[in-house]
Amino acid sequence: MGIGYGASDEQLEKQIGCVKYTLFCFNIVAWMISTALFALTVWLRAEPGFNDWLRILEAQSFYIGVYVLIGISIVMMAVSFLGCLSALMENTLALFVFVGTQVFGFIAIVAGSAVLMQFSTINSSLQPLLNVSLRGFVATSEYTYSNYVLTMIQENIGCCGASGPWDYLDLRQPLPSSCRDTVSGNAFFNGCVDELTWFFEGKTGWIVALAMTLGLLNVICAVMSFVLVQAVKKEEEQASNYRR
């Protein structure tokens, strides 16, 4: 009976070691992803040209999701160290706290990604904001500033008006040369609202993918931590029974 107990105890110890070091490795990966997410979101927020475009178009609501992801990436970098320490120490209280932070992190990441996508994708809340701003510039395109903004956007993105070249006709404005392809001379068919949205999607796609990968790691780490807690409790119970 004693030999059987010893073999069982040794097997449980090996299982705990396997889970513990796997969790440690996952936390290292989570820290690396959190650091990359922080760097990308800060770069997106600080990029001068991109920031200027959003300011001019009065679409800075785009940054709400970015701020959420910057904050959660900082938290997750710190939490990854807590996960490493709690796993190596096999401290059940620290592991429960870590599980709680992983649940919070997952919810915050999903929320931040959802908000970011809500202001950077087709048929999102970003498009009405862009439509109002661009139609306002088209309606006042005879003024120097409005003409400058439209020229900058239309030439760089390859678009015309808010919804298309007919915006100029509807608002009784002449079609500018920036609305035409320099090679063919034909007017750009796509409006700047859709083109700008696709441009923003390209900027945020990698960030959202990275954030959701981190969210998946949060779930895996939470499950593994819970398994480790149960294994440590079982080991303590076996040790208690053995002393009796």
Side-chain angles (χ1 to χ4, degrees):
M1 185 173 178
I3 295 172
Y5 174 77
S8 175
D9 190 48
E10 185 178 348
Q11 184 181 8
L12 179 60
E13 190 173 344
K14 287 180 179 178
Q15 291 172 349
I16 289 174
C18 179
V19 174
K20 179 170 68 175
Y21 290 112
T22 303
L23 181 59
F24 179 85
C25 292
F26 270 119
N27 274 290
I28 295 296
V29 174
W31 180 84
M32 293 171 66
I33 294 176
S34 299
T35 304
L37 180 62
F38 174 75
L40 280 173
T41 48
V42 169
W43 166 76
L44 183 63
R45 178 62 186 87
E47 189 179 4
F50 190 67
N51 186 28
D52 290 341
W53 280 31
L54 288 173
R55 179 180 52 78
I56 290 169
L57 295 168
E58 298 180 356
Q60 291 182 305
S61 301
F62 170 87
Y63 284 128
I64 297 173
V66 174
Y67 291 139
V68 173
L69 292 179
I70 288 175
I72 196 62
S73 62
I74 294 172
V75 172
M76 287 297 105
M77 281 191 285
V79 164
S80 296
F81 286 107
L82 171 63
C84 290
L85 291 174
S86 59
L88 292 176
M89 293 170 60
E90 298 180 17
N91 186 295
T92 54
L93 178 60
L95 284 167
F96 274 127
V97 171
F98 178 68
V99 169
T101 59
Q102 295 302 288
V103 172
F104 166 77
F106 175 77
I107 294 171
I109 285 169
V110 171
S113 299
V115 172
L116 186 57
M117 291 178 67
Q118 183 62 24
F119 286 97
S120 63
T121 56
I122 294 294
N123 299 322
S124 67
S125 299
L126 175 69
Q127 291 195 297
L129 298 176
L130 295 177
N131 188 62
V132 170
S133 296
L134 286 167
R135 283 186 67 86
F137 285 126
V138 171
T140 58
S141 57
E142 67 272 16
Y143 296 107
T144 304
Y145 179 71
S146 296
N147 183 59
Y148 163 76
V149 171
L150 288 169
T151 301
M152 176 184 67
I153 294 172
Q154 290 170 163
E155 287 185 347
N156 281 285
I157 300 294
C159 58
C160 185
S163 304
W166 45 86
D167 283 340
Y168 284 92
L169 300 176
D170 293 342
L171 296 168
R172 299 180 181 179
Q173 296 290 340
L175 194 68
S177 59
S178 59
C179 259
R180 297 184 182 278
D181 189 287
T182 54
V183 177
S184 66
N186 296 325
F188 294 118
F189 179 77
N190 289 329
C192 293
V193 170
D194 285 344
E195 290 290 342
L196 282 168
T197 305
W198 291 326
F199 175 73
F200 293 151
E201 276 187 3
K203 291 279 188 181
T204 59
W206 285 104
I207 292 175
V208 171
L210 201 61
M212 294 312 296
T213 302
L214 181 58
L216 178 62
L217 273 176
N218 288 152
V219 174
I220 294 172
C221 288
V223 171
M224 291 189 68
S225 298
F226 188 73
V227 170
L228 183 58
V229 167
Q230 298 304 311
V232 169
K233 283 185 176 181
K234 186 176 180 181
E235 184 184 45
E236 290 173 352
E237 287 175 4
Q238 287 185 352
S240 178
N241 292 334
Y242 180 74
R243 283 194 292 269
R244 291 176 185 176

